[in-house]
């Protein structure tokens, strides 16, 4: 479940705005905290420490401001309540133009992928791209940007950004491969996560292709159909009681067994714009850079 920062009083809002502009609060420091000693030996040296940066602060500041638009938030609440029994939350957000997500800033993305601001290559595919806000962060480094999205209102946003939208059964059969595929907070929201990973592996440019994968931890898989949530057909079990233990388990028991090797991993907040109840929402993310390896095992 999303957890939110509740800053409704004028004094609290003023203090929060100071935090967004200047020094990070204790809560935001926790978003990036990792205990390397709790990571497995093979994963420990691959951890990349991230920090609250200018772009993240700017997103938080915009979220706080937008949540204060009373009449807009009342309208959004009314429409959301009316449509939620029939339409997915993603589509409602797409229709209303709200609920933008923030996974990483340009500098955080570059640091994780070990590239410079001017680095450029051919093709990016962003799976489950939403409104394209996060796609835009990555897209500056690619000559062609492709995206998938099951929500029709969200595909309109992607098309307005001039991204090439592919069907969910089309991106694997285009006749070409991708230099980078991003799968951000999708693994716990799809019916066949292991099949998805194998399809991604086959669709990457050999040797140089990379997968950027973000997973919300603790890992709690559910699939949204219409306005209802249900268990996925294929249950992917991730063991561990801490963020570090689940990162280690994902690396060794999931990625390695389907033929991926971890190159880097960081801890980042998965942020979402707020509403009339909370200024923003935040979940714990583990963001991995993965490359295809020669070894893979069947997973049952």
């Amino acid at each position: 479940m999303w957890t939110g920062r509740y800053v409704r009083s004028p004094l609290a809002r003023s203090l929060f705005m100071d935090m967004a502009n200047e020094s990070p609060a204790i809560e935001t420091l926790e978003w990036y905290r990792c205990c390397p000693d709790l990571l497995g030996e093979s994963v420990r040296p691959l951890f990349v420490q991230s920090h609250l940066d200018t772009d993240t602060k700017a997103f938080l500041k915009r979220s706080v401001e937008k949540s204060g638009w009373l009449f807009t938030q009342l309208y959004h609440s009314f429409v959301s309540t009316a449509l939620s029994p029939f339409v997915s939350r993603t589509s409602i957000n797409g229709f209303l133009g709200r609920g933008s997500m923030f996974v990483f800033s340009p500098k955080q993305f570059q640091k994780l992928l070990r590239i410079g601001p001017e680095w450029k290559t051919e093709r990016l595919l962003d799976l489950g791209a939403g409104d394209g806000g996060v796609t835009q962060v990555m897209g500056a480094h690619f000559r062609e940007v492709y995206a998938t999205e099951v929500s029709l209102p969200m595909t309109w946003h992607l098309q307005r950004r001039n991204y090439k939208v592919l069907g969910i059964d089309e991106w694997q059969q285009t006749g070409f491969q991708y230099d980078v595929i991003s799968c951000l907070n999708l693994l716990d929201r799809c019916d066949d996560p292991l099949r998805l990973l194998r399809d991604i592996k086959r669709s990457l440019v050999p040797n140089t292709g990379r997968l950027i994968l973000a997973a919300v931890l603790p890992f709690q898989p559910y699939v949204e159909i219409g306005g209802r949530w249900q268990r996925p057909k294929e249950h992917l079990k991730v063991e561990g009681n801490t963020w570090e233990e689940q990162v280690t388990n994902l690396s060794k028991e999931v990625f390695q067994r389907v033929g991926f090797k971890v190159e880097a991993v960081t801890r980042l907040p998965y942020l979402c714009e707020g509403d009339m109840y909370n200024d923003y929402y935040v979940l714990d993310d583990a963001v991995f850079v993965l490359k295809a390896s020669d070894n893979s095992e069947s997973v049952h």
Side-chain angles (χ1 to χ4, degrees):
M1 297 291 291
W2 291 99
T3 58
R5 173 94 170 165
Y6 192 76
V7 287
R8 287 295 168 199
S9 75
L11 174 60
R13 183 177 292 275
S14 175
L15 291 172
F16 176 79
M17 297 300 278
D18 288 342
M19 181 281 292
N21 286 313
E22 297 176 9
S23 61
I26 292 175
E27 180 192 16
T28 59
L29 292 175
E30 290 296 324
W31 293 346
Y32 305 92
R33 191 182 301 280
C34 171
C35 297
D37 290 345
L38 298 179
L39 292 169
E41 288 186 13
S42 61
V43 183
R44 195 176 305 147
L46 307 176
F47 178 74
V48 176
Q49 182 64 60
S50 296
H51 306 276
L52 182 70
D53 65 6
T54 303
D55 289 291
T56 311
K57 291 178 184 178
F59 180 87
L60 291 170
K61 184 178 180 180
R62 288 194 302 272
S63 295
V64 170
E65 291 171 348
K66 290 175 74 171
S67 70
W69 299 347
L70 179 61
F71 292 107
T72 299
Q73 296 299 341
L74 286 170
Y75 169 69
H76 286 177
S77 180
F78 171 76
V79 173
S80 181
T81 301
L83 294 181
S84 59
F86 317 104
V87 183
S88 73
R89 184 191 309 170
T90 302
S91 290
I92 293 172
N93 286 342
F95 173 72
L96 294 173
R98 71 168 192 184
S100 290
M101 306 292 189
F102 187 97
V103 179
F104 39 59
S105 68
K107 288 184 179 179
Q108 289 167 343
F109 175 71
Q110 292 161 15
K111 182 179 179 181
L112 194 60
L113 208 55
R114 298 172 189 167
I115 58 174
E118 305 303 319
W119 181 84
K120 219 172 184 67
T121 189
E122 291 301 321
R123 297 188 185 97
L124 167 71
L125 169 65
D126 190 12
L127 298 171
D131 65 2
V134 184
T135 318
Q136 186 175 21
V137 172
M138 301 180 285
H141 295 284
F142 300 88
R143 296 178 182 88
E144 298 177 21
V145 179
Y146 297 83
T148 71
E149 178 54 60
V150 296
S151 165
L152 183 58
M154 287 299 187
T155 64
W156 299 337
H157 289 285
L158 293 168
Q159 288 165 345
R160 279 201 292 268
R161 293 177 185 265
N162 293 319
Y163 298 141
K164 299 166 186 174
V165 180
L166 302 175
I168 58 172
D169 295 317
E170 181 185 3
W171 61 271
Q172 314 93 321
Q173 304 169 20
T174 56
F176 55 78
Q177 293 171 304
Y178 308 91
D179 296 277
V180 173
I181 296 178
S182 55
C183 178
L184 306 177
N185 304 301
L186 185 61
L187 205 63
D188 60 345
R189 293 294 177 262
C190 67
D191 256 337
D192 302 295
L194 295 175
R195 178 185 172 186
L196 174 63
L197 288 172
R198 294 190 185 99
D199 285 345
I200 290 172
K201 184 184 175 187
R202 284 192 292 268
S203 301
L204 284 170
V205 172
N207 301 319
T208 59
R210 295 295 183 271
L211 165 61
I212 311 297
L213 186 142
V216 172
L217 301 180
F219 193 80
Q220 297 175 332
Y222 282 93
V223 178
E224 187 180 13
I225 299 178
R228 305 180 63 181
W229 294 92
Q230 63 185 44
R231 293 279 187 180
K233 295 176 184 175
E234 181 181 59
H235 179 63
L236 184 61
K237 186 177 181 182
V238 179
E239 297 181 349
N241 297 319
T242 66
W243 184 90
E244 292 85 354
E245 289 173 351
Q246 290 212 345
V247 163
T248 301
N249 189 259
L250 272 169
S251 302
K252 295 178 65 176
E253 301 300 328
V254 178
F255 302 148
Q256 186 174 316
R257 295 178 68 188
V258 295
F260 279 108
K261 177 183 178 182
V262 177
E263 282 198 331
V265 60
T266 191
R267 183 173 186 168
L268 289 170
Y270 177 28
L271 297 166
C272 176
E273 286 180 344
D275 48 31
M276 64 185 297
Y277 305 106
N278 291 290
D279 290 308
Y280 63 86
Y281 293 89
V282 59
L283 291 170
D284 269 330
D285 247 354
V287 184
F288 298 85
V289 177
L290 304 172
K291 66 174 291 186
S293 64
D294 296 332
N295 301 320
S296 64
E297 304 171 18
S298 60
V299 180
H300 302 288

